Amino acid sequence: MNFGFTTRFAPSPTGEMHLGNAYSALFAYKRADKSRGGNFLLRIEDIDSSRCKSKFETSILVDLEWLGISSDTTIRRQSEHLDDYALAVKKLKNQGLIYPCFCSRSDINAINNAPHKSRITVYPGTCRNLDRSEIVDKISVGKNYSLRLDVKESLNRLGKITWYDRKKGLQAVKPELFGDIIIARKDTPTSYHLAVTVDDHLQNINLVTRGDDLEPSTGIHRILQKLLGFSEPEYEHHKLIFDNDGERLSKRNKSATISSLRSSGIPSYQLIEALLDGNDERLLDLLDRTAE
Ligand code: GLU
């Protein structure tokens, strides 16, 4: 009998692995509860070919091995599964829920920089109601476009959507937080949201764990799951790891890379314990030792 979960760690190989990533990986590994039959899977989220590098994937795998973590199945690389995403795009297209968006990044940034900006840019729907001839004209002069989901219409059809968060209980999806999200980017025939939703389904993930910063994405993924007829996983969003100045430990904080901690000679079990028992003092002490 399997009383564990199937969880995953899904890093994007855009830099060295840092403490926050290690915590995320350990969290998902622990939640899989392998002693009760759970599975832990690894997925490389490498659809952004301009930012993802195979050298970073290699270093992430070395770091995970040092942390004693490995995938229970073959590692899934998103760049090798573009057909799966194309099929999902087609399904959404057939439902009449997708439209081309010709807005550039600077158009969107202009919205973001407007006075009274909110932290999250919500696409205002500029291209939602373009008529057919306008679309044909833009495409015929070679304008690139992304594909967006008509979220309002999706919710009209689906009704109220929720997700189950293991810590917070039932949560309602709040579409005003994200608006019409991108389903396929201009340069890639998928987006983060679509690829994650399809992969979690195909990898039979029944507990999605990730950082609090990605919580707003969960509502988007629930809408896509419903539209695509996928089953619903449970969710758990975990805390982010902070450094001395209260700043999120990120790839910018060099001292916090796992490879620097490894080469400083600390045993991996010390880092694992410090991360998992939530003892910030212990963690900061380890960081200080690498800085010496
Ligand atoms: N690839 C994402 C990241 O590295 C995580 C995606 C997810 O867990 O849904 O932040």
Side-chain angles (χ1 to χ4, degrees):
M1 274 301 242
N2 179 358
F3 294 105
F5 284 104
T6 299
T7 66
R8 68 354 180 235
F9 174 55
S12 300
T14 55
E16 291 280 329
M17 191 163 169
H18 53 87
L19 273 180
N21 301 127
Y23 179 67
S24 233
L26 290 164
F27 191 93
Y29 191 77
K30 202 172 153 203
R31 283 291 181 272
D33 205 349
K34 285 159 68 106
S35 63
R36 286 156 62 92
N39 294 299
F40 168 83
L41 310 185
L42 185 61
R43 178 163 82 225
I44 301 292
E45 303 210 323
D46 59 351
I47 53 168
D48 188 340
S49 54
S50 63
R51 294 177 60 229
C52 296
K53 305 262 178 295
S54 63
K55 66 172 183 182
F56 293 132
E57 179 184 321
T58 307
S59 71
I60 289 170
L61 297 179
V62 172
D63 290 341
L64 288 174
E65 196 185 339
W66 182 66
L67 292 168
I69 290 181
S70 62
S71 186
D72 289 330
T73 60
T74 318
I75 297 170
R76 183 176 169 95
R77 273 178 206 86
Q78 291 187 327
S79 58
E80 293 168 1
H81 296 278
L82 298 182
D83 288 353
D84 292 333
Y85 313 131
L87 197 67
V89 170
K90 200 166 160 205
K91 277 192 193 171
L92 297 170
K93 243 185 204 160
N94 290 344
Q95 295 176 55
L97 290 171
I98 279 187
Y99 63 87
C101 169
F102 298 90
C103 295
S104 66
R105 201 179 286 264
S106 54
D107 295 336
I108 315 274
N109 283 344
I111 300 159
N112 199 24
N113 291 329
H116 316 300
K117 65 171 181 179
S118 77
R119 229 167 52 79
I120 302 169
T121 309
V122 179
Y123 179 68
T126 318
C127 296
R128 191 188 300 128
N129 297 315
L130 292 182
D131 60 38
R132 226 188 133 64
S133 62
E134 280 176 286
I135 295 174
V136 171
D137 285 353
K138 285 180 193 291
I139 294 176
S140 65
V141 296
K143 275 205 133 201
N144 284 336
Y145 59 90
S146 54
L147 295 176
R148 287 187 183 267
L149 182 72
D150 186 336
V151 168
K152 199 164 165 219
E153 179 54 24
S154 302
L155 289 172
N156 279 344
R157 295 185 198 176
L158 297 171
K160 193 175 165 214
I161 302 186
T162 55
W163 80 80
Y164 181 71
D165 184 295
R166 293 188 83 225
K167 270 192 304 206
K168 301 182 194 162
L170 206 61
Q171 302 291 305
V173 171
K174 297 190 184 108
E176 64 278 10
L177 292 184
F178 42 83
D180 289 353
I181 45 110
I182 292 189
I183 289 299
R185 290 161 33 161
K186 284 181 180 166
D187 55 348
T188 316
T190 184
S191 65
Y192 158 68
H193 297 301
L194 185 73
V196 165
T197 305
V198 169
D199 289 342
D200 283 342
H201 167 70
L202 293 177
Q203 293 191 291
N204 295 313
I205 303 300
N206 57 10
L207 173 62
V208 173
T209 64
R210 56 186 170 212
D212 279 336
D213 56 336
L214 286 172
E215 185 168 346
S217 301
T218 297
I220 299 170
H221 302 170
R222 286 291 299 124
I223 294 175
L224 290 173
Q225 285 159 7
K226 282 261 188 188
L227 291 172
L228 294 166
F230 298 164
S231 56
E232 175 179 357
E234 289 184 26
Y235 287 89
E236 187 166 347
H237 299 95
H238 60 71
K239 66 170 187 182
L240 302 176
I241 304 288
F242 293 87
D243 70 9
N244 247 337
D245 307 318
E247 292 211 343
R248 204 181 138 200
L249 286 174
S250 71
K251 290 161 197 166
R252 287 187 298 277
N253 302 82
K254 270 202 150 169
S255 61
T257 65
I258 302 305
S259 63
S260 65
L261 286 159
R262 194 175 63 233
S263 38
S264 75
I266 66 155
S268 58
Y269 76 88
Q270 284 189 6
L271 175 64
I272 295 169
E273 280 175 13
L275 278 169
L276 288 182
D277 74 8
N279 185 334
D280 288 352
E281 285 308 313
R282 208 163 152 190
L283 203 50
L284 292 171
D285 183 51
L286 285 181
L287 285 182
D288 287 347
R289 276 163 56 188
T290 63
E292 277 158 15

